[in-house]
Amino acid sequence: MTEQEPSVVTKRQVFYLSGFDPRGAAFYHRLYQEESALQAKLLHANIEVSLRTRQSNLVNHWAVKADWQEPTAAQINTDYFFLNWDDIVRQYWETNLLKLAWISIPSYLHYMRCGAFSNIQRNHRGPFFSAVYPMLILFLLILASALLGLLVASFIPQPIIASAVGLALAAASLHYGAKLANQWGVFWLLRTYLFVFRMGLDNSAMMLDRLNDFVKIIKQTQQESPADEILLVGHSVGTIMAVHLAAMYTEQHPDLAAKVKLITLGQCIPLLSGMPQATLFNQHLNQLQNQAVSAWIDYLARADSLAFCEEQHLLKLELRQPSMRVVRFFNMFEPKRYEQIKKNKFRLHFQYLMATEKLGDYDYFLITAGALPLQQ
């Protein structure tokens, strides 16, 4: 704790940045509302989540009131601000799946040439296979569709009819296979990698205006309604945004930064930091080492193949921050239920924001609505 920080947080502000997800504040409000109610039963607490209000095009808000008996009887009030950037996600959410696959090829080739891909391969086996997975599935899908068309055509004696039937069957197989791959999250991953690649190439110019708007929102909120603790939370690709935002905020308002704490959940920072062109992002990473937010804690589950454990290997920087905490989700569920969750990599990647069956060493609702400061 810092000297100014109370032992019990009675008023907290959370500024949340979602990942590369076209679902906006309504989805995340419902998720927090439903999951906090489940976790409250486990914690023997009462957590009430208000209706969501759209304060502007840039921010949605809901209030969280939590009544706790342990470790001390207290009522905690949290103002939860969802920082909107899902409109930008939708601008880059290519809906034509064949076009998406085609334009992703140069991105993968560039990752290989610049060395970022080989770094991921050496240091992060899970994320490496997750990165290879979309292109591998697409290759197998195209190959299987072509072989199916050729196989059926080989049984038809008339060449013209055989060609027509073979092509039609291959096209239909490719179409329905692509729809199935979409359900598996293949194209979501491709869209994510393509977006991060573009951020690296233009040094996040596409996001700087929005991030500067977020800086103003946090400053205004902090000045108008002081809180005991201010949490800046990023999940998945939102961790990249959160690093940018924390660095920009501490640079522009160093007098207000002492209460701001950065939390990254399931981070994929090396996807960007490993690109030589991402000079602004790496500058902001370095900046956070010197212009302090009061804490930066990075929560990672080793089973989460979409997140990067042991991130120091890939950032290519000797970082004082973040402080890494390993999340052991396998201890928070019955074995059978955990195996079900683990089979779905996207479901596991969202577990950071969800309730558990047992108490463990990580609890999103204790962090965002609990009585104790983050470091405790």
Side-chain angles (χ1 to χ4, degrees), residues 104-105 107-136 190 193 197 270-276 308 314 316:
S104 297
I105 294 172
S107 301
Y108 273 76
L109 292 175
H110 180 86
Y111 267 115
M112 293 176 189
R113 286 198 302 269
C114 75
F117 211 63
S118 59
N119 282 335
I120 294 174
Q121 182 182 9
R122 282 196 303 271
N123 298 306
H124 304 276
R125 186 175 61 176
F128 172 72
F129 285 119
S130 293
V132 171
Y133 166 76
M135 282 299 179
L136 179 62
L190 277 180
Y193 298 145
F197 171 71
L271 281 178
L272 185 59
S273 66
M275 292 180 62
F308 288 77
L314 196 57
K316 298 183 294 187

Side-chain angles (χ1 to χ4, degrees), residues 11-16 55-56 58-62 77-83 213-231 249 253 256 259-260:
K11 184 175 181 182
R12 177 186 287 108
Q13 292 165 355
V14 175
F15 296 90
Y16 177 79
Q55 294 189 334
S56 71
L58 299 178
V59 63
N60 281 255
H61 168 267
W62 54 89
N77 293 291
T78 296
D79 285 307
Y80 200 104
F81 299 93
F82 182 92
L83 301 178
D213 289 334
F214 290 160
V215 168
K216 294 172 186 175
I217 289 169
I218 297 173
K219 177 195 174 187
Q220 182 178 353
T221 305
Q222 190 175 356
Q223 289 181 326
E224 292 180 356
S225 181
D228 299 325
E229 184 173 65
I230 299 167
L231 303 181
Y249 192 76
H253 306 292
L256 297 175
K259 281 190 176 181
V260 178

Side-chain angles (χ1 to χ4, degrees), residues 89-296:
V89 172
R90 286 188 289 273
Q91 290 177 32
Y92 289 88
W93 193 268
E94 177 58 60
T95 55
N96 186 314
L97 300 184
L98 290 177
K99 181 180 178 183
L100 174 65
W102 179 252
I103 62 179
S104 297
I105 294 172
S107 301
Y108 273 76
L109 292 175
H110 180 86
Y111 267 115
M112 293 176 189
R113 286 198 302 269
C114 75
F117 211 63
S118 59
N119 282 335
I120 294 174
Q121 182 182 9
R122 282 196 303 271
N123 298 306
H124 304 276
R125 186 175 61 176
F128 172 72
F129 285 119
S130 293
V132 171
Y133 166 76
M135 282 299 179
L136 179 62
I137 291 294
L138 288 175
F139 172 76
L140 293 175
L141 180 59
I142 293 169
L143 181 62
S145 299
L147 289 175
L148 180 62
L150 288 170
L151 180 63
V152 172
S154 68
F155 289 100
I156 301 174
Q158 298 87 350
I160 296 178
I161 297 175
S163 297
V165 170
L167 285 171
L169 190 59
S173 175
L174 188 59
H175 172 73
Y176 287 107
K179 290 183 70 173
L180 183 61
N182 196 37
Q183 293 176 8
W184 293 342
V186 169
F187 293 103
W188 195 328
L189 284 174
L190 277 180
R191 292 181 183 103
T192 301
Y193 298 145
L194 187 59
F195 178 79
V196 174
F197 171 71
R198 287 167 170 165
M199 285 186 75
L201 287 186
D202 71 1
N203 268 298
S204 306
M206 70 174 80
M207 292 302 304
L208 286 179
D209 288 342
R210 182 63 54 90
L211 288 166
N212 274 310
D213 289 334
F214 290 160
V215 168
K216 294 172 186 175
I217 289 169
I218 297 173
K219 177 195 174 187
Q220 182 178 353
T221 305
Q222 190 175 356
Q223 289 181 326
E224 292 180 356
S225 181
D228 299 325
E229 184 173 65
I230 299 167
L231 303 181
L232 176 56
V233 183
H235 174 241
S236 192
V237 175
T239 61
I240 291 173
M241 308 287 293
V243 166
H244 275 305
L245 181 55
M248 291 166 68
Y249 192 76
T250 57
E251 181 179 33
Q252 295 179 32
H253 306 292
D255 55 322
L256 297 175
K259 281 190 176 181
V260 178
K261 302 171 184 179
L262 176 60
I263 299 173
T264 47
L265 308 173
Q267 57 91 352
C268 54
I269 286 170
L271 281 178
L272 185 59
S273 66
M275 292 180 62
Q277 298 94 330
T279 52
L280 179 62
F281 183 69
N282 283 305
Q283 175 186 324
H284 281 164
L285 276 173
N286 271 319
Q287 190 174 311
L288 283 179
Q289 308 311 302
N290 304 312
Q291 290 177 295
V293 289
S294 62
W296 174 7

